[in-house]
Amino acid sequence: MAEHLHISSGTKEEKYSTLLPQVKNLMANETILMANLANLAAALNETFRFLWVGFYLVRGEELILSTFQGPIACTRIHKGSGVCGTAWERAETIIVPDVNAFPGHIACNFASRSEIVVPLFGKNGQVWGVLDIDSEKPDNFDETDKKYLEEMCNMLHE
Ligand code: SME
């Protein structure tokens, strides 16, 4: 398979709907989790050029930094801390239009203005990690991001 991503030049919806089958294809051909996490972070970054896109994985009572694209980031986040730890605790996607207005937001990068965090669910509904995306633009994430990112995260298996 050619390792080449076709990126739509259209709307956000068009970009995601072009990306989705390609991500499905990448995942279908690989069973090693770390390889799929790495390629999904890269595919999202290549398509949208986010400030930061990556994964944190649950280890005990903490999230530990995993594969990502972007500047260096904090390595450990406690359950219930920041946007990532809150999404884990609540077991739901959190969209933050203004990071400065989110109580307890962890500023790994001061250029970040808005953020979305999507939990990764196991077979029994337990959260085993999160996808975290940061944008330099305020209010950059909406229900379209949520819908597609949740669908992509559902393709990942611990
Ligand atoms: N802002 C996140 C921390 C992770 S970095 O953005 C990569 C949070 O509040 O959980």
Side-chain angles (χ1 to χ4, degrees):
M1 191 197 117
E3 314 307 345
H4 171 76
L5 201 64
H6 172 65
I7 300 168
S8 164
S9 56
T11 61
K12 177 193 277 194
E13 174 78 39
E14 284 161 355
K15 283 194 163 83
Y16 274 116
S17 58
T18 305
L19 180 60
L20 187 65
Q22 298 181 86
V23 166
K24 254 182 203 157
N25 201 30
L26 279 170
M27 306 277 172
N29 289 311
E30 181 51 66
T31 56
I32 300 291
L33 173 64
M34 207 50 72
N36 285 333
L37 295 178
N39 256 348
L40 181 51
L44 287 167
N45 189 50
E46 224 179 307
T47 303
F48 293 102
R49 300 291 172 202
F50 292 122
L51 172 65
W52 197 93
V53 48
F55 295 92
Y56 282 88
L57 302 184
V58 170
R59 293 290 178 270
E61 286 302 298
E62 288 179 313
L63 288 165
I64 310 292
L65 181 64
S66 183
T67 57
F68 69 94
Q69 302 257 319
I72 59 164
C74 48
T75 57
R76 288 169 185 258
I77 298 172
H78 279 279
K79 192 169 192 176
S81 293
V83 187
C84 292
T86 305
W88 173 20
E89 192 169 62
R90 291 188 197 160
E92 65 184 28
T93 297
I94 298 182
I95 294 173
V96 181
D98 173 4
V99 295
N100 296 319
F102 187 94
H105 167 258
I106 301 164
C108 287
N109 191 299
F110 288 108
S112 175
R113 302 290 304 281
S114 60
E115 182 164 357
I116 184 168
V117 178
V118 180
L120 308 174
F121 292 103
K123 282 193 196 90
N124 302 322
Q126 82 283 9
V127 176
W128 56 270
V130 298
L131 166 65
D132 178 19
I133 306 182
D134 290 82
S135 174
E136 285 161 298
K137 295 178 207 149
D139 199 13
N140 195 40
F141 301 103
D142 56 25
E143 289 301 311
T144 301
D145 299 276
K146 180 176 186 288
K147 180 180 85 170
Y148 283 101
L149 294 172
E150 286 180 351
E151 195 165 340
M152 290 176 192
C153 286
N154 284 339
M155 295 174 195
L156 296 165
H157 304 289
E158 194 177 8

